[in-house]
């Protein structure tokens, strides 16, 4: 059975070169030239690996990656980018990619990295049904949230927002990531919708408990975790 690769690359020559090589190696390849199309294809599922250009028109690669991870897409992602500093690579990996390859690159190396990610993905992963942070627990099957054994009554949007934060425990999530991953907005509507929902969620998650878990990182975003 052929493995399916999603290639999100806006440079037509580079995309054609990669796609041709992968097809010759027995892969099935779908190509997208914009971040918006790539995110739509990725969330449809069915891919064994995604090769993602970081600099894309409209929605850039990092926003696409955040949107995928926020939507629960666990497909391995290899970022391709001309941005090759240590800081850029760390940002890509911390942002949710599984590998990072700097342009210009050798096709043989990209092929080897794709095959490695595909092999890793063939093992059946344990389905994560419970998310935790300290004494806060979210049961995805029962659609129930408790803290220190106490039930927390959440509205549907609050539940989705908390789920996103729990999937990024100890990571700073930005407003853009929340808009993409929780509200499915690919633009900033210019409202305080995030602030309102986070304020309500913080009251339910933190008020009356010894340790705050939902923190504001001033000028950057928010973080779920123990400690400021």
């Amino acid at each position: 059975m052929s493995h399916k690769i999603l290639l999100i690359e806006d440079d037509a020559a580079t995309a054609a070169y990669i796609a041709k090589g992968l097809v010759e190696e027995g892969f099935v390849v779908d190509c997208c030239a914009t971040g918006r199309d790539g995110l739509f294809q990725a969330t449809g599922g069915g891919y064994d690996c995604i090769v993602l250009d970081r600099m894309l028109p409209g929605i850039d690669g990092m926003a696409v990656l955040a949107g995928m991870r926020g939507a629960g897409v666990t497909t391995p992602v290899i970022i391709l980018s001309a941005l090759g500093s240590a800081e850029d690579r760390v940002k890509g990996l911390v942002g949710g990619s599984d590998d990072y390859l700097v342009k210009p690159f050798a096709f043989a190396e990209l092929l080897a990295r794709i095959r490695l990610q595909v092999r890793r993905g063939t093992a059946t992963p344990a389905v994560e049904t419970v998310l935790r942070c300290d004494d806060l627990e979210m049961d995805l099957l029962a659609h129930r949230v408790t803290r220190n054994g106490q039930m927390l009554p959440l509205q549907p949007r609050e539940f989705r927002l908390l789920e996103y934060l729990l999937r990024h425990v100890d990571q700073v999530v930005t407003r853009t990531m929340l808009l993409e991953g929780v509200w499915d907005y690919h633009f900033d509507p210019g409202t305080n919708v995030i602030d309102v929902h986070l304020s309500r969620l913080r009251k339910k998650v933190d008020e009356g408990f010894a340790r705050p878990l939902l923190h504001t990182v001033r000028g950057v975003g928010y973080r779920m975790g123990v400690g400021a």
Side-chain angles (χ1 to χ4, degrees):
M1 178 175 135
S2 298
H3 292 290
K4 288 184 64 178
I5 308 298
L6 175 60
L7 173 60
I8 309 174
E9 167 63 67
D10 67 317
D11 183 80
T14 301
Y17 168 70
I18 294 173
K20 181 176 182 294
L22 291 177
V23 169
E24 289 175 350
E25 293 293 331
F27 292 94
V28 175
V29 183
D30 288 339
C31 297
C32 294
T34 69
R36 189 178 300 276
D37 290 344
L39 181 58
F40 177 79
Q41 284 287 102
T43 52
Y47 293 101
D48 297 291
C49 186
I50 297 170
V51 179
L52 173 65
D53 183 20
R54 182 163 169 177
M55 292 184 287
L56 294 166
I59 307 173
D60 70 15
M62 293 304 299
V64 173
L65 180 59
M68 285 191 291
R69 296 308 190 221
V73 177
T74 59
T75 307
V77 173
I78 300 173
I79 289 181
L80 284 182
S81 180
L83 302 174
S85 71
E87 182 181 355
D88 289 321
R89 295 196 301 273
V90 167
K91 184 177 180 181
L93 294 169
V94 170
S97 73
D98 299 271
D99 201 352
Y100 195 108
L101 184 59
V102 178
K103 296 178 179 179
F105 59 91
F107 176 76
E109 182 178 3
L110 174 61
L111 178 62
R113 293 182 184 225
I114 290 173
R115 284 178 167 160
L116 175 61
Q117 295 301 329
V118 168
R119 282 200 304 272
R120 288 175 174 172
T122 54
T124 303
V127 178
E128 192 173 25
T129 60
V130 177
L131 304 176
R132 295 183 179 87
C133 177
D134 196 43
D135 58 352
L136 178 69
E137 182 175 293
M138 171 179 280
D139 187 324
L140 297 172
L141 296 181
H143 207 78
R144 180 179 62 203
V145 178
T146 59
R147 181 159 187 197
N148 195 28
Q150 178 180 328
M151 188 81 68
L152 303 182
L154 300 184
Q155 296 298 318
R157 185 71 68 178
E158 293 168 348
F159 188 94
R160 188 174 176 186
L161 176 57
L162 181 59
E163 179 184 351
Y164 188 91
L165 292 166
L166 286 172
R167 291 189 183 278
H168 297 79
V169 166
D170 291 326
Q171 299 178 29
V172 176
V173 297
T174 65
R175 291 177 62 87
T176 299
M177 292 169 68
L178 291 174
L179 286 170
E180 292 269 354
V182 180
W183 277 268
D184 297 319
Y185 289 164
H186 304 302
F187 60 95
D188 191 334
T191 69
N192 64 343
V193 61
I194 291 179
D195 304 293
V196 170
H197 280 84
L198 276 164
S199 177
R200 292 173 181 169
L201 182 61
R202 179 179 277 116
K203 288 181 180 179
K204 295 180 179 181
V205 168
D206 284 342
E207 281 193 1
F209 296 98
R211 296 177 300 278
L213 297 179
L214 182 51
H215 308 277
T216 298
V217 182
R218 191 172 300 278
V220 182
Y222 308 90
R223 182 179 65 83
M224 175 67 69
V226 179

